[in-house]
Amino acid sequence: MTSWLRRQRALAEYTLAALARRRIKNTGLLLIYAMVIFVVASATLFATALRKEAEVVLAEAPEVIIQNLVMGRHDLIPGDVIAEIDGIRGVASIKGRLWGYFYDRLNGANYTLMVPLDPAMAPPAGQAIIGESLPRVREMPWETAPLFLSRTPGDLVRFDIAKRLSSDSALVSTDLILLNEANFRAFFELPEDVYTDIALSIRNPREIDTIVEKIGRLLPNARLVTRDEIARTYQKLFSWREGIMVLLAGASVLAFVIFAAEKASGLSAEETREIGILKAIGWDTGDVIAMKLWEGGLVSFGAFLLGTVLAYLHVFAFDAGLFASVLKGWSVIYPDFALTPGIDGLQLTALFFLTVLPYMAATIVPIWRAATADPDQVMR
Amino acid sequence: MRRTRIVFGLLAAGTATLALASLHARITTAPERARMARSAALVRAVGLTDLALFTEARFTRNPALADLQTAFQDAPMSFEHFPSGTFAPRPAAGFGRGELRFGPEEAAR
């Protein structure tokens, strides 16, 4: 056992000396390799963390949302629908939701104005609870600076700030302006007894499908969105986005694959001669293959470690700064959020096998071919 | 043997850093879970349905509640207007799952 270890160590030492001889080329290979792994690992870690956040946080969303559709478009829903649905057995509570968008002509941001479902959370008249991004995009000079919203030129509505929502919940609340019902209706000049949509809470989750079916029969024009559908939308959205990011990295991955295949499979004349000399001085085929395995293993494992550690730092210490512009798109408001750090062992293993093994395998075939040939022929 | 010592040392340091990262993830689990619980409480109290991640357009702010066809609302062959809309996939179940029924009695069945 000791002699085997000593032998492997000697092989590793020889491999490192050989790698050091082509220092610039091999350092370049290691860095590009690490960069490719960094991009793929960042996308994976980021999407997984976002998916988890959406799953936990949106588990508290209303069980069913009822939207009124008029001419195929979302429209206000009359309040008397509430009384109609209230009779259905299994419905724990039913509340009209009031929410709408407000485009701020000052800075081009879109805010979401909303009346909290829980009356205890509603701010007093003339006051608003605002999300984390509002002070930032409106450059509010002091903590209790009032918020002025202008619906039309010359119009100015003032709201005093009751509370600023913490950045802990930025991912769900960054653009929110919470008002009480009277202020909300006055701001949007909304008639009494209409709502944006209706939120249902259902006692037994197993009854959701039956209740949805009953409501569907009662309100054939309505669109019903269940909490499961909301969750599915987000799971799919992040998988898709992760795929898009990996696809964007695809060009560089492809370039790397060509580069690695060229480097690993096409032996240079110098390398072939080196193998010939090694065989001539008494190395056997197994030694040569072991030496090349060491080379592939050291380079790919080093790149894997470097890429993965950097990806972890990028996503969880620097808030995935490189992806922010992709996700932000054209929006003015982008939440200042931190994700819950997490490493998925299965994903990490998959990444390891997808990056380290193919490179090592690619080095073996040509080496085996050169190593089994006659030294005299190889050196010629 | 000096070179192997340095390189193996570096690889061991890298592995240790990765292990530290995973330890960090584990240590921050409890406070992060508490933070997410606070966010979830806000979602429940306000009655939210979506993440405020893409605020550029109505259907990107509330993808869960937007019309299924909004991604193609400008023209059948047009590219999506908003960058984040480009990344929205089409619904998993496809469009339309209903059946044709004649009369309310048959529909009720």
Side-chain angles (χ1 to χ4, degrees):
Chain A
M1 188 66 191
T2 335
S3 73
W4 183 83
L5 275 178
R6 210 175 292 140
R7 184 188 173 87
Q8 293 305 319
R9 193 169 175 189
L11 279 170
E13 180 71 21
Y14 176 82
T15 310
L16 285 171
L19 284 172
R21 249 180 283 139
R22 293 177 285 270
R23 192 168 294 143
I24 294 175
K25 196 177 169 188
N26 286 316
T27 314
L29 172 76
L30 183 78
L31 290 180
I32 296 170
Y33 199 167
M35 208 166 74
V36 170
I37 294 174
F38 164 78
V39 174
V40 176
S42 290
T44 311
L45 288 175
F46 186 63
T48 308
L50 267 181
R51 217 177 290 146
K52 191 177 167 204
E53 183 96 12
E55 188 187 306
V56 173
V57 170
L58 294 179
E60 292 296 327
E63 270 102 344
V64 179
I65 295 283
I66 306 171
Q67 283 183 340
N68 188 24
L69 291 184
V70 173
M71 291 188 289
R73 285 188 171 263
H74 180 198
D75 202 38
L76 294 171
I77 192 160
D80 49 21
V81 167
I82 294 180
E84 267 181 69
I85 299 166
D86 213 13
I88 295 176
R89 204 181 299 156
V91 175
S93 85
I94 170 161
K95 282 177 183 161
R97 286 203 317 160
L98 283 168
W99 61 274
Y101 302 108
F102 178 76
Y103 173 71
D104 191 347
R105 283 177 297 123
L106 269 183
N107 52 19
N110 286 311
Y111 307 134
T112 301
L113 272 71
M114 199 164 180
V115 178
L117 275 188
D118 181 359
M121 176 122 193
Q127 295 191 14
I129 297 173
I130 55 170
E132 154 279 330
S133 73
L134 264 102
R136 203 160 14 102
V137 295
R138 283 303 283 265
E139 293 169 7
M140 290 178 163
W142 66 91
E143 188 73 17
T144 52
L147 174 71
F148 291 98
L149 296 179
S150 170
R151 294 165 294 184
T152 49
D155 166 79
L156 213 56
V157 184
R158 174 189 166 137
F159 291 108
D160 290 321
I161 303 305
K163 189 180 154 193
R164 286 183 180 186
L165 293 170
S166 131
S167 65
D168 276 1
S169 61
L171 208 51
V172 286
S173 67
T174 191
D175 65 338
L176 283 187
I177 299 177
L178 300 178
L179 303 173
N180 68 21
E181 185 170 341
N183 284 158
F184 184 91
R185 287 190 190 277
F187 186 81
F188 284 115
E189 294 167 358
L190 209 63
E192 287 297 321
D193 212 35
V194 289
Y195 296 94
T196 314
D197 50 30
I198 288 172
L200 244 68
S201 113
I202 289 166
R203 231 168 264 127
N204 182 356
R206 274 184 297 182
E207 285 178 1
I208 291 179
D209 286 343
T210 325
I211 292 171
V212 163
E213 207 184 302
K214 281 183 188 166
I215 298 170
R217 239 177 281 149
L218 221 73
L219 308 165
N221 288 328
R223 178 180 170 219
L224 297 141
V225 182
T226 63
R227 189 157 69 187
D228 274 358
E229 282 169 343
I230 294 174
R232 272 206 302 274
T233 304
Y234 279 93
Q235 297 305 320
K236 243 168 75 66
L237 192 80
F238 294 130
S239 305
W240 186 268
R241 267 169 193 263
E242 180 187 355
I244 295 265
M245 281 191 263
V246 172
L247 199 71
L248 289 178
S252 54
V253 172
L254 201 68
F256 174 73
V257 168
I258 295 168
F259 177 63
E262 173 73 19
K263 164 83 180 62
S265 60
L267 288 177
S268 68
E270 193 190 348
E271 278 172 305
T272 321
R273 235 194 32 216
E274 185 187 321
I275 290 167
I277 293 169
L278 288 176
K279 288 211 69 176
I281 59 169
W283 285 43
D284 65 24
T285 311
D287 292 334
V288 176
I289 290 176
M291 186 264 284
K292 278 290 164 184
L293 267 180
W294 268 108
E295 186 183 315
L298 286 173
V299 169
S300 51
F301 188 57
F304 172 78
L305 284 177
L306 191 65
T308 317
V309 168
L310 287 179
Y312 186 87
L313 288 175
H314 167 231
V315 173
F316 300 118
F318 297 100
D319 298 339
L322 294 176
F323 292 154
S325 56
V326 178
L327 289 167
K328 192 176 173 188
W330 293 358
S331 40
V332 172
I333 292 177
Y334 184 68
D336 180 13
F337 64 99
L339 289 163
T340 303
I343 293 181
D344 186 343
L346 191 72
Q347 275 178 341
L348 207 65
T349 317
L351 189 68
F352 180 83
F353 283 113
L354 281 174
T355 50
V356 174
L357 285 191
Y359 184 79
M360 284 181 72
T363 51
I364 291 299
V365 178
I367 289 298
W368 181 76
R369 217 179 288 146
T372 47
D374 189 33
D376 172 53
Q377 208 176 12
V378 175
M379 274 192 282
R380 214 173 278 269
Chain B
M1 295 289 157
R2 229 188 69 232
R3 215 174 255 137
T4 36
R5 223 171 263 167
I6 294 172
V7 171
F8 281 10
L10 284 174
L11 287 179
T15 314
T17 317
L18 197 61
L20 269 181
S22 122
L23 188 71
H24 170 251
R26 194 154 289 191
I27 288 171
T28 49
T29 303
E32 283 294 325
R33 205 173 279 163
R35 180 189 65 77
M36 283 202 276
R38 284 197 296 276
S39 283
L42 182 76
V43 166
R44 171 166 279 274
V46 179
L48 298 170
T49 52
D50 284 275
L51 298 186
L53 199 51
F54 328 114
T55 58
E56 55 190 333
R58 283 168 305 188
F59 61 91
T60 60
R61 171 64 176 86
N62 291 93
L65 298 183
D67 293 341
L68 298 178
Q69 74 277 22
T70 32
F72 314 105
Q73 67 183 352
D74 293 329
M77 289 298 286
S78 74
F79 284 115
E80 174 50 41
H81 188 65
F82 289 99
S84 45
T86 317
F87 298 141
R90 69 186 285 274
F95 298 110
R97 275 165 285 173
E99 288 170 52
L100 271 185
R101 298 275 170 87
F102 298 97
E105 297 83 22
E106 200 186 334
R109 254 186 282 136

